[in-house]
Amino acid sequence: MTQTQFFDRRRFFAKVVCFFVAGVSSLFLSNSQMLWAQLPQTIVYAVSPSGGQKGQTFELKVTNGKDLEKLDSLWFSHAGITAVPKMQESNGKKTPVVNTFLVTIGKDVPAGVYDIRAHGLYGLSNPRSFVVSDMKEKAEVEPNNQIKQATPMELNSVVNAALQGATDIDYFSFTGKKGEKVSIDCRAARIDSPMVAIVEVYGPDQRRLASERDTFRSDPYVNLTLPLDGTYHVKVYDLTYSGGAQHIYRLSVHKKPHIEFIIPPSGTPGTTSNYTLYGYNLPGGKVSNLSIGKEPLQEVQVQIALPAKPKTLQMGEQGFSYEVSSDGFPYVWETPAGSSNPVTIFYAEGKIVQDEQNIEEKLALPGEFVGQFEAKNDVDMFRFTGKAKEKYSIEVYGQRNGMVMDPVIVVDQVIKDKEGKETFKRLASVGATSVFPDLGGKLFDTRSDDPYYILTAPADGEYRVTIRDLQFETRGNPQMVYRAIVRQPKPDYRLVALPLYPQAVNTGGGPAAIALRKGDCFKISVMALRQDGFNETIDLSVKGLPPGVSCKAASIGAGKNNTEMIIQADETAKKWSGQIEIVGHAAGADAKKLERVARAATVLRPVANNVRAESRIARSLGLSVIDEVAPYQVVADVKEVNVNQGRQILVPVKVVKRTGFDNAVALAWNGIPKNSNITIQNKTIAKGKQDELFQIFVKNNANPGVYTTYLQSTVDVSYRRNPGQVDEAKKEQAELTKRLTEAQAALAAATKTRDALTKAKGKTPEQMKAEQAKAAQEVKAATDRVKAADAAKKAADKRVAAAEKAAAPKKIKVYAPSTPLVIRVNPAPVTLALSVPGGGALKKGATIDVKATVKRINGFKGPVELILPLPPGVKGVTAGTVQIPADKTEVTFPIKASAEATEGDLANLVVQAKADFQGKALVDAPIKLKVTK
């Protein structure tokens, strides 16, 4: 067995680029330094071990992360996995061992992959993968860099290991018998490790039997029929020989069932059906006619009951970002020989038809055709019946099934003559079309190589669809299972929610959970994956928020795919952590509401050297409120406005300043596209000031739609890190100082007693000797207590100094968003133009006659009313209401300044046109006036 050609090239090239451009030693260091210049929040990069055996309790440590102070609990995505801090005796008290927990996995927890999060002083962390197995587990024993130092393993066991540093190589050994079928599975990418693992297997005669990478979902998997009795060795290393605290992996050597793929890979929700599992060591299985490399696959039929939740996604293994549009659930085959690896079974649309060799299947619509490119030059065909001028969407799930392939759709019209002879008219040949655009930028890649095509049938009759791989002439593999779905367009959508690390806009994000301080705001990127031309506005809300935490408003406008939600915590919010859901509501084609819960996403490693971040689908969306007050909060008093084209929006903005903060705050609007024809006003709220009025102007030619926007702040704050630690350290210092004083006093008393015995009278020599010996022992014991108390007090003094140093004020750059503003732009009935004489010069007590011209648009033909609303800060300028009849377009609009009128250039002044058009409609035209004495 040699290195496979079927690997995820995107991850491979990203690894190589980062290695050569940045250097192994500096790659993650540079990114972690970038992330340090923020207010702290708990981030976890690695835990050890990264999994455990069901029914067991074991020690787990958070081994790598950021802002890990006072970790007090672990949270798992399955309630049957629990953890408590490991305790130790310290100065007569039980205290938790730093970052260390005792984890218990219930006997009923299914084998599979879950999320683990840590909670500490700075909130709930990002998720990391955690594996539950039914095999014995142990830790790697270093050193094992040479074959003679190999860590021994039993069959049907797992070793938790790590590449400790650059160039680290690990060896393991196991004993096997000739003819045994053994699987060697290395989980690295599947547990969020940056390691691109390579596994080599050597026989008792030291001959290399296999060398694999990226054979199963970006990780190496080897299946061997052992050729000899004896000791076998497994060598594990990284593709670029990199290593470090995050380069963790799990190596298992077992004879348990391993599933490579399932046929069909999907089923109808809420049904129980027969499925064929293909893989190795399948109890009751028979040898199939398919093989991967030289090892034939086994097959076995099982019945599987599918949940009745067709619009949800729970992945079996780690979910790649481009798989996020699929619907499915995790499946593990439980057998007397043990649990299989977890796989994902997808939810089908309509009846499933499986490919049969040399037969063109007929597909009833909506329907799903299941096939695989098991060999080179494999081409599959099926037919369906269409009606003239009807539309049909043809979509292939290949790469989005987790398989490495690049499917191509070819569509032909079947034309029959009077004798029934068939000819074919080519209508389309479609390769990778990016079913969904690049919604997540460099943070979450939603693109795939799967094709999508909308066919408008030119006539009644049959249509033939041919499916092949783009590289079908050079590759084929039974793993390349696909689903081809044909339906009349069914507009729908899915949502993805990605917490954004607090930093400057358009920079490489990092791992993050939704962590809020009291009086704080946090951004979440929400992406809409629109299906079959779905183009409605999606209104967003949040379920499960604790008291004091809210989300004012957020929407994804028609035709748009992205927005950023802002979660807000009041100053009254209590410390909290838990799970929330982001829910979308939109009108479907049948006027019924489509409610969709967003799939969670997480960044594993940040953007580096212009290479995309590594991200995956998360199993939940976690939120926490940190027991600390944010230094400031930007609040936009307006949360939602419904306006026509040609409108001014004035937004009062307040910066709530706390904990002595009083710096200038630079604010810039985000979320409004450049081509929207909406002008924005960015400002800095000066030091010593809290309020400012911001102007947004929706131009006459602004694109109708929904826009969710917010103000992004950029501020330097003086921040004290964990000042409570200083108080705790000083309290302990005071207790130990008191203990030292008491010990010193006890020593002085014991010494005095001992010395007094030399002057004692009336006692026999034996009595004197015994009492003096006892007094000497008491002096020695007291001296020992003084030494221990003094050492403890000195250690406490050091902890106080370290805490004070850590809590010393430091300048930190903070990027906090404001509360959001949703702008709904509707078509306008008119445009309004003003002609202002004299450049708008207006003396107090005088009147200026402004010529107003309206142009009726969008089918409006009615009358228009003009008024002069005064913006905040302007007084004494008035105008009467002026009517423009339906048959007129121009009018004179007199504006008068009283003796008390505001002097100078009048900011944010508009003339407003009112009309009855799809309800009340308002249109503004800016006017420049300068009032003088």
Side-chain angles (χ1 to χ4, degrees):
M1 188 176 287
T2 57
Q3 289 181 348
T4 179
Q5 300 178 40
F6 301 93
F7 63 94
D8 188 340
R9 288 178 170 80
R10 292 195 289 188
R11 188 168 188 266
F12 170 76
F13 286 122
K15 178 79 171 180
V16 172
V17 168
C18 290
F19 174 72
F20 285 111
V21 175
V24 172
S25 62
S26 63
L27 169 60
F28 191 78
L29 177 62
S30 62
N31 285 298
S32 64
Q33 288 174 337
M34 174 190 72
L35 297 180
W36 268 102
Q38 314 289 340
L39 292 175
Q41 70 172 72
T42 308
I43 307 278
V44 170
Y45 298 130
V47 300
S48 180
S50 54
Q53 184 181 1
K54 63 165 68 177
Q56 301 295 313
T57 296
F58 54 93
E59 183 178 303
L60 181 146
K61 188 169 185 177
V62 179
T63 54
N64 190 247
K66 172 180 169 292
D67 303 326
L68 301 179
E69 287 96 319
K70 290 190 176 181
L71 294 188
D72 54 22
S73 59
L74 298 178
W75 184 91
F76 295 88
S77 58
H78 192 290
I81 312 173
T82 58
V84 294
K86 182 180 180 181
M87 306 302 287
Q88 63 183 352
E89 290 284 340
S90 176
N91 294 320
K93 297 181 181 179
K94 283 193 172 183
T95 60
V97 179
V98 176
N99 299 351
T100 306
F101 299 85
L102 296 177
V103 174
T104 300
I105 302 176
K107 293 181 180 179
D108 297 330
V109 178
V113 188
Y114 302 91
D115 275 348
I116 179 176
R117 299 175 189 261
H119 181 275
L121 179 65
Y122 298 115
L124 192 65
S125 78
N126 58 301
R128 270 321 198 235
S129 291
F130 181 86
V131 183
V132 172
S133 80
D134 55 3
M135 294 185 285
K136 291 182 179 180
E137 304 236 351
K138 66 181 290 186
E140 169 193 22
V141 179
E142 288 279 5
N144 62 343
N145 304 72
Q146 300 178 31
I147 198 166
K148 63 183 179 182
Q149 300 170 320
T151 299
M153 295 181 66
E154 299 178 34
L155 278 177
N156 295 323
S157 72
V158 180
V159 64
N160 291 279
L163 297 179
Q164 304 292 341
T167 73
D168 190 12
I169 296 172
D170 292 337
Y171 281 94
F172 305 89
S173 64
F174 68 92
T175 301
K177 295 181 179 181
K178 181 178 179 180
E180 282 186 304
K181 292 187 178 296
V182 175
S183 295
I184 298 100
D185 188 7
C186 181
R187 286 180 178 270
R190 286 177 288 160
I191 56 171
D192 305 336
S193 173
M195 176 180 169
V196 179
I198 296 180
V199 165
E200 296 179 357
V201 183
Y202 295 84
D205 56 1
Q206 303 302 309
R207 184 170 63 91
R208 190 173 77 175
L209 302 176
S211 177
E212 293 289 357
R213 72 158 185 263
D214 209 355
T215 44
F216 190 78
R217 295 188 68 84
S218 295
D219 282 332
Y221 170 81
V222 177
N223 181 265
L224 281 177
T225 299
L226 302 185
L228 300 168
D229 291 352
T231 300
Y232 290 78
H233 289 90
V234 181
K235 177 182 179 182
V236 182
Y237 59 99
D238 181 81
L239 172 70
T240 57
Y241 290 95
S242 59
Q246 295 185 48
H247 285 64
I248 57 174
Y249 64 93
R250 287 168 57 86
L251 183 73
S252 61
V253 179
H254 63 82
K255 295 163 54 175
K256 298 191 327 141
H258 172 84
I259 302 172
E260 285 284 344
F261 55 87
I262 299 179
I263 299 293
S266 55
T268 304
T271 64
T272 298
S273 303
N274 291 325
Y275 295 81
T276 304
L277 310 181
Y278 289 85
Y280 304 104
N281 292 324
L282 305 181
K286 63 180 182 179
V287 176
S288 74
N289 59 355
L290 300 174
S291 64
I292 298 176
K294 296 180 180 179
E295 287 289 323
L297 291 165
Q298 290 179 307
E299 63 177 272
V300 65
Q301 277 206 350
V302 297
Q303 277 200 336
I304 302 175
L306 272 63
K309 297 180 180 179
K311 306 302 179 186
T312 59
L313 174 63
Q314 293 177 291
M315 298 295 298
E317 292 280 5
Q318 184 202 59
F320 300 122
S321 57
Y322 49 76
E323 294 177 286
V324 75
S325 64
S326 302
D327 298 327
F329 80 103
Y331 171 74
V332 173
W333 188 34
E334 303 286 354
T335 77
S339 302
S340 73
N341 55 302
V343 293
T344 304
I345 297 180
F346 302 96
Y347 295 123
E349 296 185 44
K351 186 177 179 180
I352 299 172
V353 173
Q354 296 183 39
D355 176 44
E356 296 291 342
Q357 294 294 327
N358 305 316
I359 298 175
E360 285 190 18
E361 298 289 342
K362 289 190 177 181
L363 192 66
L365 304 190
E368 188 166 300
F369 179 82
V370 172
Q372 60 192 138
F373 305 129
E374 64 257 34
K376 293 179 183 179
N377 297 307
D378 192 2
V379 176
D380 299 331
M381 297 179 184
F382 66 91
R383 297 187 183 195
F384 69 93
T385 301
K387 293 183 179 181
K389 299 184 180 180
E390 293 282 354
K391 292 184 180 297
Y392 300 92
S393 70
I394 305 170
E395 181 174 6
V396 175
Y397 282 77
Q399 190 180 19
R400 287 176 294 162
N401 280 4
M403 305 298 179
V404 179
M405 66 174 76
D406 195 350
V408 175
I409 297 170
V410 177
V411 182
D412 292 306
Q413 181 183 4
V414 181
I415 301 174
K416 296 182 181 179
D417 62 17
K418 294 180 180 180
E419 285 74 35
K421 182 179 179 181
E422 294 182 343
T423 58
F424 299 92
K425 180 180 179 182
R426 181 63 42 87
L427 300 179
S429 180
V430 182
T433 55
S434 289
V435 178
F436 303 106
D438 186 5
L439 301 182
K442 293 180 181 178
L443 294 182
F444 193 81
D445 192 357
T446 55
R447 301 170 303 166
S448 74
D449 291 332
D450 291 343
Y452 173 82
Y453 176 65
I454 291 284
L455 167 70
T456 300
D460 291 351
E462 285 191 334
Y463 293 85
R464 186 178 69 182
V465 178
T466 303
I467 309 290
R468 62 173 175 82
D469 183 58
L470 183 65
Q471 302 175 43
F472 76 112
E473 294 174 318
T474 59
R475 70 178 180 185
N477 189 307
Q479 292 174 313
M480 299 172 71
V481 178
Y482 66 85
R483 304 157 52 213
I485 299 166
V486 183
R487 61 179 176 262
Q488 289 191 290
K490 186 180 179 182
D492 205 338
Y493 69 98
R494 301 292 183 269
L495 295 173
V496 185
L498 174 68
L500 296 175
Y501 191 89
Q503 58 188 25
V505 176
N506 297 325
T507 54
I514 307 168
L516 288 155
R517 287 167 170 77
K518 298 178 180 182
D520 197 6
C521 294
F522 192 98
K523 289 190 297 186
I524 306 168
S525 173
V526 182
M527 296 157 263
L529 301 122
R530 296 178 180 270
Q531 171 185 295
D532 289 352
F534 180 79
N535 198 36
E536 301 298 319
T537 294
I538 304 169
D539 294 319
L540 304 172
S541 60
V542 187
K543 290 183 179 180
L545 292 176
V549 179
S550 61
C551 179
K552 285 188 173 181
S555 295
I556 303 176
K560 297 182 177 63
N561 300 309
N562 297 78
T563 195
E564 289 179 358
M565 295 185 75
I566 311 295
I567 306 290
Q568 173 189 2
D570 300 335
E571 286 187 64
T572 60
K574 304 295 184 182
K575 181 180 176 182
W576 187 87
S577 62
Q579 181 175 321
I580 65 169
E581 286 184 339
I582 291 177
V583 183
H585 298 269
D590 55 2
K592 293 182 180 179
K593 284 287 184 181
L594 297 177
E595 180 179 300
R596 301 288 179 259
V597 177
R599 287 96 195 261
T602 184
V603 172
L604 300 177
R605 280 164 289 281
V607 177
N609 303 302
N610 212 32
V611 175
R612 289 176 179 270
E614 290 186 53
S615 304
R616 69 165 170 89
I617 302 166
R619 294 170 179 86
S620 63
L621 200 58
L623 177 144
S624 60
V625 178
I626 301 171
D627 195 15
E628 180 178 281
V629 178
Y632 72 95
Q633 185 175 28
V634 183
V635 179
D637 284 346
V638 181
K639 73 173 186 178
E640 187 167 351
V641 292
N642 202 320
V643 298
N644 297 99
Q645 296 163 310
R647 277 299 306 279
Q648 174 180 261
I649 303 169
L650 297 179
V651 184
V653 175
K654 183 177 183 179
V655 176
V656 181
K657 299 181 178 180
R658 311 182 186 97
T659 63
F661 170 78
D662 192 28
N663 290 357
V665 180
L667 295 168
W669 289 103
N670 278 276
I672 297 179
K674 292 181 180 179
N675 62 352
S676 63
N677 296 316
I678 298 175
T679 61
I680 54 178
Q681 184 182 46
N682 299 330
K683 291 183 179 181
T684 295
I685 298 181
K687 182 177 181 179
K689 191 177 179 182
Q690 288 190 324
D691 303 279
E692 188 61 83
L693 191 66
F694 283 72
Q695 182 201 60
I696 297 175
F697 203 92
V698 180
K699 294 182 178 181
N700 292 327
N701 60 345
N703 297 321
V706 179
Y707 303 87
T708 299
T709 184
Y710 62 93
L711 284 161
Q712 177 70 50
S713 66
T714 305
V715 181
D716 288 327
V717 303
S718 179
Y719 178 74
R720 292 189 64 208
R721 186 184 184 90
N722 192 8
Q725 187 177 4
V726 177
D727 297 335
E728 292 177 6
K730 285 185 175 180
K731 182 180 178 181
E732 182 188 30
Q733 183 187 48
E735 291 177 354
L736 293 174
T737 300
K738 180 181 177 182
R739 189 179 300 177
L740 175 60
T741 301
E742 292 171 347
Q744 289 171 334
L747 175 61
T751 303
K752 184 178 179 180
T753 299
R754 183 199 63 188
D755 294 344
L757 287 174
T758 61
K759 301 177 182 179
K761 297 180 179 180
K763 296 184 179 182
T764 65
E766 290 79 7
Q767 289 175 325
M768 289 291 294
K769 184 177 180 181
E771 289 182 6
Q772 286 175 347
K774 181 180 178 182
Q777 288 178 347
E778 290 176 348
V779 169
K780 183 179 182 302
T783 301
D784 291 341
R785 286 193 292 272
V786 168
K787 289 181 180 179
D790 184 57
K793 196 263 183 184
K794 288 178 179 177
D797 293 341
K798 290 182 179 179
R799 287 193 289 273
V800 169
E804 288 178 333
K805 183 179 179 181
K810 294 181 177 65
K811 184 183 287 187
I812 294 179
K813 194 170 288 295
V814 175
Y815 306 96
S818 74
T819 53
L821 167 64
V822 174
I823 305 172
R824 300 181 187 273
V825 179
N826 303 306
V830 299
T831 61
L832 175 62
L834 304 176
S835 177
V836 185
L842 177 60
K843 290 186 177 182
K844 290 185 176 183
T847 299
I848 187 171
D849 289 333
V850 176
K851 180 182 177 182
T853 304
V854 297
K855 179 181 179 182
R856 292 172 175 82
I857 57 176
N858 294 321
F860 176 69
K861 297 180 180 180
V864 178
E865 183 178 276
L866 300 183
I867 61 172
L868 184 70
L870 293 186
V874 176
K875 65 178 181 178
V877 179
T878 59
T881 300
V882 175
Q883 296 283 343
I884 303 179
D887 58 346
K888 302 291 184 182
T889 59
E890 292 183 358
V891 73
T892 298
F893 188 68
I895 300 176
K896 183 178 180 179
S898 70
E900 293 78 26
T902 302
E903 294 185 18
D905 293 315
L906 304 184
N908 303 321
L909 190 65
V910 299
V911 174
Q912 193 168 82
K914 299 171 64 176
D916 289 328
F917 176 73
Q918 299 175 359
K920 182 181 177 181
L922 301 174
V923 174
D924 297 331
I927 181 170
K928 292 184 178 181
L929 295 181
K930 184 174 183 178
V931 178
T932 59
K933 291 182 181 179

